[in-house]
């Protein structure tokens, strides 16, 4: 009895047959199908490929097994080119190096940003320097985490999406840096008290965010015990896991809220609100995934804001 399957790959737009794979093992994964397709079309490496069971259907994940899909002896799949791809390390590095350097250009007031008489001058307000230190530290930390802490999957991101993300992060960095380092910038209403309290909260949230990333990295690196959901450890910063599924986002929001208070700058507040909305979407998605996967997942946990959201 022949237990092999046949796989037909069509172009999602034109419905033209691109290839026909005969005698495919039933336990083959979508990733295996992509590798076979890549041998026939070397210009479309696996990360560029999107395979679906319907021209407008959901993308099939690489780990999905052929025999578990709703197909008969011949599986018809639709191919779409996702365009050039870059790895997650490159993505994170590009997103973070821009804000770091752009902010420093405004802080040092290089020529042509402000008036010529302000070129290479320094602000008389201490908060401007403290804000630069905090902003620089934040993005240096993210770059260090990208290189030494984060454990990325073999996934990738389309080049056009990376460009869009970089425009968002780089553009906001330039916008808030322009006003914080402007010669006419005025310090916060409550002076040094407001700045110092905000800086303490900033430091706590940065340490918390780093602790969570380190904890998640260790969890992903320990595959010997199988799939597990993150849990608090002896590190007090990880105790937020008792209440939320994604405390890294909670701490990240806290970082930008404190930076908004420290600088009392509207562009920073706008960036914080938009970031909170996006991180809430990510956190809710991750929370739902945990609940679906783990039957014993703690009921008290919510997505991002303890006991609330």
């Amino acid at each position: 009895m022949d237990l092999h399957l046949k796989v037909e790959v069509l172009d999602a737009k034109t419905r033209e047959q691109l290839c026909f794979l005969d005698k495919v093992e039933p336990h083959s994964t979508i990733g295996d199908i992509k590798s076979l397709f890549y041998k026939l079309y070397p210009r479309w490496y696996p990360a560029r490929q999107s395979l679906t069971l319907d021209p407008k259907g959901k993308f099939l994940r690489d780990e999905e097994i052929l025999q578990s899909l709703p197909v008969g002896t011949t599986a018809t799949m639709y191919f779409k080119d996702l365009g050039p791809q870059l790895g997650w390390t490159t993505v994170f590095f590009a997103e973070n190096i821009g804000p770091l350097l752009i902010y420093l250009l405004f802080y040092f007031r290089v020529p042509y940003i402000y008036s010529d008489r302000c070129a290479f001058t320094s602000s008389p307000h201490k908060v401007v320097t403290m804000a630069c230190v905090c902003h620089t530290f934040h993005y240096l930390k993210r770059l260090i985490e990208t290189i030494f802490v984060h454990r990325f999957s073999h996934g990738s991101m389309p080049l056009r999406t990376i460009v869009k993300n970089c425009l968002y992060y780089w553009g906001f960095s330039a916008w808030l840096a322009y006003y914080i380092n402007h010669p006419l910038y005025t310090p916060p209403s409550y002076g040094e008290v407001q700045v110092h309290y905000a800086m303490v909260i900033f430091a706590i949230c940065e340490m918390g965010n780093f602790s969570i990333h380190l904890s998640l990295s260790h969890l992903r690196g320990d595959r010997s015990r199988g799939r597990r959901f993150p849990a608090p450890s002896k590190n007090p910063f990880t105790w937020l896991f008792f209440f939320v599924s994604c405390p890294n986002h909670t701490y990240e929001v806290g970082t930008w809220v404190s930076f908004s208070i420290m600088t009392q700058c509207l562009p920073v507040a706008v960036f914080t609100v938009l970031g909170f909305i996006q991180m809430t979407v990510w956190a809710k998605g991750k929370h739902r995934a945990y609940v679906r996967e783990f039957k014993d997942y703690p009921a008290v946990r919510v997505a991002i804001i303890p006991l609330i959201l």
Side-chain angles (χ1 to χ4, degrees), residues 66-168:
L66 192 58
Q67 64 182 0
S68 67
L69 299 175
V71 297
T73 55
T74 300
T76 300
M77 298 182 183
Y78 297 89
F79 164 80
K80 181 180 179 182
D81 180 15
L82 296 176
Q85 305 283 306
L86 290 177
W88 286 111
T89 300
T90 304
V91 171
F92 274 64
F93 193 85
E95 289 179 353
N96 292 307
I97 192 67
L100 173 65
L101 299 178
I102 289 171
Y103 193 99
L104 292 176
L105 291 178
F106 285 88
Y107 175 75
F108 289 111
R109 294 179 178 172
V110 297
Y112 308 112
I113 292 181
Y114 303 112
S115 62
D116 291 340
R117 61 187 177 83
C118 296
F120 297 116
T121 61
S122 58
S123 173
H125 307 299
K126 187 185 297 183
V127 63
V128 173
T129 299
M130 294 174 70
C132 180
V133 170
C134 289
H135 190 275
T136 302
F137 175 83
H138 176 75
Y139 283 101
L140 278 177
K141 179 185 77 72
R142 294 185 67 163
L143 287 172
I144 291 171
E145 288 174 342
T146 298
I147 299 171
F148 299 107
V149 178
H150 293 316
R151 294 179 180 270
F152 297 105
S153 65
H154 295 295
S156 58
M157 179 182 284
L159 182 59
R160 58 180 176 271
T161 304
I162 298 172
V163 173
K164 181 179 67 176
N165 287 3
C166 286
L167 287 174
Y168 173 80

Side-chain angles (χ1 to χ4, degrees), residues 17-234:
Q17 186 184 79
L18 298 176
C19 74
F20 187 84
L21 304 173
D22 197 12
K23 294 184 178 181
V24 179
E25 296 288 342
H27 58 266
S28 297
T29 64
I30 296 300
D32 296 330
I33 303 299
K34 289 182 177 180
S35 296
L36 294 172
F37 187 79
Y38 172 59
K39 291 180 180 179
L40 298 173
Y41 298 94
R43 68 181 181 275
W44 291 323
Y45 47 89
R48 286 189 67 153
Q49 300 174 31
S50 163
L51 295 178
T52 62
L53 296 179
D54 182 86
K56 297 182 180 179
K58 186 179 180 181
F59 298 165
L60 296 171
R61 301 189 307 275
D62 286 353
E63 62 270 18
E64 292 190 72
I65 300 174
L66 192 58
Q67 64 182 0
S68 67
L69 299 175
V71 297
T73 55
T74 300
T76 300
M77 298 182 183
Y78 297 89
F79 164 80
K80 181 180 179 182
D81 180 15
L82 296 176
Q85 305 283 306
L86 290 177
W88 286 111
T89 300
T90 304
V91 171
F92 274 64
F93 193 85
E95 289 179 353
N96 292 307
I97 192 67
L100 173 65
L101 299 178
I102 289 171
Y103 193 99
L104 292 176
L105 291 178
F106 285 88
Y107 175 75
F108 289 111
R109 294 179 178 172
V110 297
Y112 308 112
I113 292 181
Y114 303 112
S115 62
D116 291 340
R117 61 187 177 83
C118 296
F120 297 116
T121 61
S122 58
S123 173
H125 307 299
K126 187 185 297 183
V127 63
V128 173
T129 299
M130 294 174 70
C132 180
V133 170
C134 289
H135 190 275
T136 302
F137 175 83
H138 176 75
Y139 283 101
L140 278 177
K141 179 185 77 72
R142 294 185 67 163
L143 287 172
I144 291 171
E145 288 174 342
T146 298
I147 299 171
F148 299 107
V149 178
H150 293 316
R151 294 179 180 270
F152 297 105
S153 65
H154 295 295
S156 58
M157 179 182 284
L159 182 59
R160 58 180 176 271
T161 304
I162 298 172
V163 173
K164 181 179 67 176
N165 287 3
C166 286
L167 287 174
Y168 173 80
Y169 289 112
W170 296 16
F172 259 110
S173 178
W175 189 32
L176 61 90
Y178 176 83
Y179 283 100
I180 295 174
N181 297 287
H182 197 283
L184 299 179
Y185 170 79
T186 55
S189 302
Y190 296 96
E192 292 189 3
V193 174
Q194 180 175 334
V195 173
H196 291 158
Y197 274 111
M199 195 167 187
V200 170
I201 298 172
F202 179 91
I204 292 173
C205 289
E206 287 285 18
M207 289 188 289
N209 182 263
F210 178 77
S211 297
I212 298 301
H213 286 159
L214 205 59
S215 178
L216 292 173
S217 176
H218 292 159
L219 182 66
R220 295 189 184 105
D222 183 11
R223 296 298 185 186
S224 60
R225 297 174 59 183
R227 287 276 298 169
R228 293 177 293 137
F229 57 81
S233 66
K234 295 179 180 179

